[in-house]
Amino acid sequence: MWTLTENKNWNNLESNFDWIKRMNEVPQDPFYHAEGNVAIHTKMVLDALINDVTFGSLDAQDREILWAAALLHDVEKYSTTLIDVDGRISSAGHAKKGAQSSRNILFNEIPTPFYIREQIVGLVRHHGLPIWLFEKPDPLKSLVKASMEVSLQLLTILARADMLGRICDDQAEMLYRIDCFEAYCKEQNCWDSARVFATPQAKMYYFAHEGSFVDYVPFESSSFEVMMMSGLPGAGKDSYIRQNFKNFPVVSLDEIRKQMGIKPTDKSGNGKVVQAAKELARTHLRKKQTFVWNATNITQQMRSQLIELFTSYGAEVNIIYLEVPYVKLNQQNKNRVEQVPDYIIDKLIQKLEVPKAWEAHQVYYYI
């Protein structure tokens, strides 16, 4: 069974992890957190979690996942906290940035199995959702999307501990909101598992169209596919293509870059490479021809722009994500003909957003 650490004593945690020790330096707005700084709050959240009856009924691995998420949930308040001229304290964006840091910690520093790591990352990313869901422009869509990233049952337990682990005047109201979130999850069949769609096309249609009905099933079907590779340099994308897609055309950014004589570190030249790749892709798209798009594609924004292009021609898009452990990644990168500098690998790891099931018709993980 995976555990972040066997010794969960707070003094031991502070002495072993700098990202925990620095929580003592981060103030919080007394209106929402009269208990004090982030370290005090995090300790109270961990205590509330351990004392939660539902938490105690979970299996041991889920308890470890939740404990790690509670420890990490405010890890990036350190970098996002601001104090305005009136003395009010805020930390906008700390959940999103905290998810990135959590992935980095659990990939680089504390080797963690992929599915466990991504569950923790999802819990950190969405830990405020049970409180703020009904203020979203489309609460159901936000709920369904989150259900495809993280266990909403575990998320609800974390949100309750987060609220009980603080001193504030609106605690009762916030706990009521969490109860409403739980009821809504169960009503929308998102509580025990991700929301299920009738077809991949139905899923893509729902997320691509505002105001769409969650159970609507479009009749259109794709006649060809785009295989979108995703993964850090050295993860094995080229080898995977040679073994599985040798009969399909490949649009490779590395190959185009090589043909154009542009180095990976040349930021101004990379735009030319991408445009040339898109033009080549369009030749396949116009022919309704299945092909492979080979690039790192490590951010959701990067993938979404390409998926919008591919689906506009009627393609079914399948994302194929590859990952190897950090040590092996560096070894394989050094064996590449076009080796990527170590500092760039580390920067890319910090930006990495693992593809989610809602992004494409199908998402496959080879870990």
Side-chain angles (χ1 to χ4, degrees), residues 19 22-30 32-42 45 71-83 89-99 101-102 124 127 162 165-166:
W19 45 272
R22 71 187 186 190
M23 291 179 183
N24 292 288
E25 306 168 23
V26 188
Q28 298 186 110
D29 194 313
Y32 300 105
H33 290 277
E35 72 277 2
N37 63 39
V38 171
I40 295 169
H41 167 60
T42 302
V45 172
L71 182 67
L72 285 158
H73 81 286
D74 281 345
V75 69
E76 280 302 335
K77 279 190 174 178
Y78 176 82
S79 64
T80 58
T81 293
L82 298 172
I83 303 176
I89 302 171
S90 63
S91 53
H94 77 276
K96 183 177 182 179
K97 194 169 181 183
S101 292
S102 297
V124 173
H127 72 266
D162 187 19
R166 68 177 74 183

Side-chain angles (χ1 to χ4, degrees), residues 276-330:
K278 285 183 177 179
E279 283 305 312
L280 181 56
R282 286 189 180 96
T283 63
H284 300 305
L285 291 165
R286 293 186 194 105
K287 296 175 185 176
K288 307 293 183 184
Q289 181 179 37
T290 294
F291 69 96
V292 180
W293 177 276
N294 187 19
T296 54
N297 298 314
I298 59 167
T299 67
Q300 191 269 320
Q301 182 181 18
M302 189 185 301
R303 293 187 296 266
S304 67
Q305 291 172 353
L306 292 167
I307 290 168
E308 186 175 352
L309 169 64
F310 301 153
T311 54
S312 70
Y313 284 84
E316 178 175 313
V317 182
N318 300 320
I319 299 176
I320 299 164
Y321 176 76
L322 281 78
E323 181 177 300
V324 295
Y326 181 68
V327 173
K328 188 174 182 181
L329 180 77
N330 284 287

Side-chain angles (χ1 to χ4, degrees), residues 57-167:
S57 67
L58 298 172
D59 66 45
Q61 188 60 84
D62 281 345
R63 291 199 300 272
E64 290 295 330
I65 288 170
L66 263 176
W67 187 90
L71 182 67
L72 285 158
H73 81 286
D74 281 345
V75 69
E76 280 302 335
K77 279 190 174 178
Y78 176 82
S79 64
T80 58
T81 293
L82 298 172
I83 303 176
D84 67 19
V85 292
D86 297 321
R88 296 304 301 267
I89 302 171
S90 63
S91 53
H94 77 276
K96 183 177 182 179
K97 194 169 181 183
Q100 292 292 102
S101 292
S102 297
R103 180 179 288 116
N104 201 21
I105 289 166
L106 300 175
F107 184 61
N108 289 12
E109 298 178 30
I110 308 169
T112 303
F114 173 79
Y115 292 101
I116 290 175
R117 184 193 77 206
E118 288 306 306
Q119 194 66 201
I120 295 168
V121 169
L123 289 166
V124 173
R125 175 68 184 91
H126 295 294
H127 72 266
L129 185 66
I131 291 173
W132 304 112
L133 176 71
F134 296 105
E135 296 186 17
K136 299 281 186 182
D138 189 336
L140 179 57
K141 192 161 288 186
S142 296
L143 184 79
V144 172
K145 187 176 285 188
S147 79
M148 303 180 84
E149 298 184 28
V150 68
S151 163
L152 298 185
Q153 184 177 12
L154 297 187
L155 186 66
T156 303
I157 296 170
L158 176 61
R160 284 203 180 97
D162 187 19
M163 188 50 58
L164 291 169
R166 68 177 74 183
I167 298 172

Side-chain angles (χ1 to χ4, degrees), residues 236-297:
K237 297 185 294 297
D238 292 342
S239 298
Y240 185 92
I241 291 169
R242 284 194 297 270
Q243 293 170 11
N244 297 277
F245 299 134
K246 59 184 178 182
N247 295 323
F248 295 118
V250 178
V251 177
S252 170
L253 268 65
D254 282 346
E255 285 299 317
I256 294 172
R257 191 178 288 112
K258 192 186 303 180
Q259 292 167 11
M260 298 176 72
I262 295 174
K263 295 181 179 180
T265 52
D266 183 353
K267 291 184 179 179
S268 61
N270 280 332
K272 298 176 183 177
V273 172
V274 172
Q275 288 307 312
K278 285 183 177 179
E279 283 305 312
L280 181 56
R282 286 189 180 96
T283 63
H284 300 305
L285 291 165
R286 293 186 194 105
K287 296 175 185 176
K288 307 293 183 184
Q289 181 179 37
T290 294
F291 69 96
V292 180
W293 177 276
N294 187 19
T296 54
N297 298 314

Side-chain angles (χ1 to χ4, degrees), residues 5-16 20 67:
T5 177
E6 294 290 346
N7 188 340
K8 293 178 170 57
N9 175 272
W10 187 262
N11 291 332
N12 175 71
L13 294 172
E14 283 189 333
S15 61
N16 280 285
I20 295 178
W67 187 90

